[in-house]
């Protein structure tokens, strides 16, 4: 069957104009907060010599992926909330689908690697820097990106080859597999099963691995001192919070047959915008090292700038006071000469 569709029309989160205006300001605020928070984490880790452990190496890349992941969908959502017709070309839709799954799956793998990093750091502290050296961290990071690329490539190829004869109305705010399968002019049962095996099983297996590693970490707290137990629990609590906020919506969407519900759009908001926005807050509020590094780097720099500005003003005032005195001395000399 031929593909007669050249563009798709999004229904968005709501058809109500007042709700769309609210969505515009709300998600614009969310997106600005998301970009600012994740950018601050990246810059803080890059410029702080104290934050050179593997955990912060992966955290900086997690923030980078969060920025990219939300930038695939959030700007389009914000712009469409002010548009009467929320259209996207067929090619643009496939590109959005590819990058959405690329960054989403890469984030899943990075979170899994971060859980392994915490397991080694807490359960094998003496061998931690030997096991998680920079070469191993780089290999794990490249593996995360390659895994995300393979997953996204499969999802996109499965969708591109489907025939779309119309209608072209997508009941969503971005291009995803399930809404597109609903519009295909052919039987999509087998494709839906492949999507579950590809997206759903990746999410489920990584989630089980993550929770298993954190259970092992929690059981190991019995042999720790109270101070070590408190520090490890604080770090793991932030990671577990991020994992639950990200994985539960993903499992709800992808670990089921190719059907769509009205709740899917609101659930998708959580893992595409809300969780990437909350990640910087979760990791900084529960991490003393990151908070102290931010204070030293940004607050200290602001205070130094204020000192320099005040010093320039004082020196300028001194020059302003000296000039009139010299002028008066010169004037007195001219009077005596005359």
């Amino acid at each position: 069957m031929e593909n007669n569709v050249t563009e798709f029309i999004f229904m968005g989160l709501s058809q109500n104009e007042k709700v769309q205006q609210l969505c515009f300001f709300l998600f614009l605020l969310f997106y600005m907060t998301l970009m600012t928070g994740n950018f601050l984490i990246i810059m803080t880790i890059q410029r702080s010599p104290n934050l050179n452990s593997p955990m912060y190496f992966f955290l900086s890349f997690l923030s980078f992926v969060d920025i990219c992941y939300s930038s695939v969908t959030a700007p389009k959502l914000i712009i469409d909330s002010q548009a009467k017709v929320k259209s996207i070309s067929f090619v643009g839709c496939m590109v959005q689908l590819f990058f959405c799954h690329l960054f989403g799956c890469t984030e899943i793998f990075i979170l899994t690697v971060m859980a392994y990093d915490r397991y080694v750091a807490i359960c094998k502290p003496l061998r931690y820097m030997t096991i998680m050296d920079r070469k191993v961290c780089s290999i794990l990071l490249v593996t995360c990106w390659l895994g995300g690329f393979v997953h996204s490539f499969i999802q996109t190829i499965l969708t591109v080859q489907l025939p779309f004869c119309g209608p072209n109305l997508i009941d969503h705010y971005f291009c995803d597999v399930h809404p597109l399968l609903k519009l295909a002019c052919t039987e999509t049962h087998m494709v839906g099963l492949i999507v579950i095996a590809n997206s759903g099983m990746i999410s489920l297996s990584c989630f089980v691995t993550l929770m298993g590693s954190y259970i092992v970490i929690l059981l190991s707290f019995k042999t720790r001192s109270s101070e070590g137990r408190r520090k490890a629990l604080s770090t793991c609590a932030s990671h577990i919070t991020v994992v639950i906020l990200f994985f539960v919506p993903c499992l709800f969407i992808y670990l089921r047959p190719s059907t769509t519900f009205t709740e899917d759009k609101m659930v998708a908001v959580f893992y595409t915008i809300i969780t990437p926005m909350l990640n910087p807050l979760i990791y900084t509020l529960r991490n003393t090292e990151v908070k102290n590094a931010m204070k030293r780097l940004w607050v200290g720099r602001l205070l130094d700038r204020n000192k320099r500005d005040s010093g320039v003003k004082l020196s300028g005032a001194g020059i302003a006071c000296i000039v009139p005195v010299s002028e008066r001395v010169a004037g007195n000399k001219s009077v005596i000469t005359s």
Side-chain angles (χ1 to χ4, degrees):
M1 299 178 67
E2 295 183 359
N3 188 358
N4 299 325
V5 174
T6 58
E7 68 174 9
F8 294 101
I9 308 296
F10 293 130
M11 292 183 64
L13 292 175
S14 175
Q15 300 298 310
N16 188 298
E17 290 188 5
K18 292 183 178 180
V19 175
Q20 290 187 39
Q21 290 295 323
L22 178 62
C23 288
F24 173 77
F25 291 106
L26 190 62
F27 288 111
L28 180 61
L29 176 63
F30 286 171
Y31 187 62
M32 292 173 63
T33 304
L34 180 155
M35 295 292 287
T36 304
N38 284 290
F39 179 76
L40 283 175
I41 282 187
I42 293 173
M43 296 303 296
T44 301
I45 293 175
Q46 292 295 322
R47 299 192 178 193
S48 300
N50 296 331
L51 303 180
N52 58 357
S53 68
M55 182 181 73
Y56 298 114
F57 173 78
F58 292 120
L59 179 57
S60 64
F61 278 97
L62 178 67
S63 294
F64 173 74
V65 172
D66 278 336
I67 290 174
C68 297
Y69 187 37
S70 294
S71 296
V72 175
T73 57
K76 178 67 174 169
L77 172 62
I78 295 168
I79 294 171
D80 283 348
S81 62
Q82 296 293 298
K84 292 185 183 278
V85 180
K86 307 170 179 61
S87 62
I88 187 172
S89 66
F90 180 85
V91 175
C93 184
M94 295 302 114
V95 170
Q96 188 183 55
L97 173 68
F98 175 82
F99 283 105
C100 184
H101 281 270
L102 170 64
F103 295 125
C105 189
T106 302
E107 178 157 351
I108 286 176
F109 289 141
I110 289 178
L111 288 172
T112 307
V113 169
M114 290 177 71
Y116 173 71
D117 171 74
R118 289 299 84 203
Y119 164 76
V120 176
I122 294 173
C123 297
K124 300 179 181 180
L126 299 179
R127 299 177 56 198
Y128 175 58
M129 295 309 297
T130 304
I131 297 174
M132 299 297 293
D133 59 13
R134 186 49 64 100
K135 182 180 179 181
V136 172
C137 291
S138 300
I139 292 173
L140 289 173
L141 186 64
V142 171
T143 304
C144 291
W145 282 103
L146 286 176
F149 176 81
V150 172
H151 160 78
S152 182
F153 182 77
I154 294 172
Q155 297 288 78
T156 307
I157 289 297
L158 289 173
T159 309
V160 167
Q161 67 181 357
L162 294 174
F164 297 95
C165 317
N168 63 342
L169 195 63
I170 298 178
D171 187 16
H172 217 299
Y173 65 91
F174 70 95
C175 290
D176 203 3
V177 178
H178 287 321
L180 290 171
L181 290 179
K182 189 177 179 181
L183 299 180
C185 305
T186 186
E187 175 60 41
T188 59
H189 178 70
M190 185 58 64
V191 177
L193 291 178
I194 297 174
V195 169
I196 293 175
N198 191 16
S199 297
M201 294 311 297
I202 286 177
S203 301
L204 181 62
S205 58
C206 289
F207 181 72
V208 171
T209 303
L210 282 162
M211 298 312 295
S213 64
Y214 285 123
I215 288 173
V216 173
I217 290 172
L218 293 174
L219 291 176
S220 69
F221 285 170
K222 296 178 181 179
T223 60
R224 301 283 169 184
S225 63
S226 58
E227 179 63 22
R229 190 184 302 118
R230 185 195 61 79
K231 186 176 180 180
L233 184 61
S234 177
T235 304
C236 291
S238 61
H239 288 207
I240 293 172
T241 303
V242 171
V243 166
I244 292 174
L245 286 174
F246 188 80
F247 274 88
V248 171
C250 287
L251 291 172
F252 175 79
I253 295 292
Y254 297 110
L255 197 63
R256 68 168 197 248
S258 57
T259 56
T260 57
F261 301 118
T262 55
E263 296 84 4
D264 288 354
K265 292 183 284 188
M266 294 307 301
V267 172
V269 168
F270 271 91
Y271 63 81
T272 58
I273 299 176
I274 302 298
T275 302
M277 179 189 69
L278 293 178
N279 279 354
L281 297 176
I282 293 171
Y283 281 112
T284 53
L285 290 177
R286 298 194 62 87
N287 193 309
T288 306
E289 290 181 343
V290 176
K291 285 191 292 185
N292 292 336
M294 282 187 171
K295 289 177 182 178
R296 287 193 300 267
L297 185 63
W298 302 108
V299 178
R301 180 170 295 183
L302 183 61
L303 292 175
D304 291 341
R305 185 176 179 181
N306 290 335
K307 288 180 180 178
R308 287 197 301 268
D309 292 343
S310 62
V312 170
K313 290 179 180 179
L314 288 174
S315 62
I319 293 172
C321 293
I322 292 170
V323 169
V325 172
S326 62
E327 289 179 353
R328 288 198 298 270
V329 172
N332 292 335
K333 286 183 178 180
S334 63
V335 170
I336 293 170
T337 304
S338 60

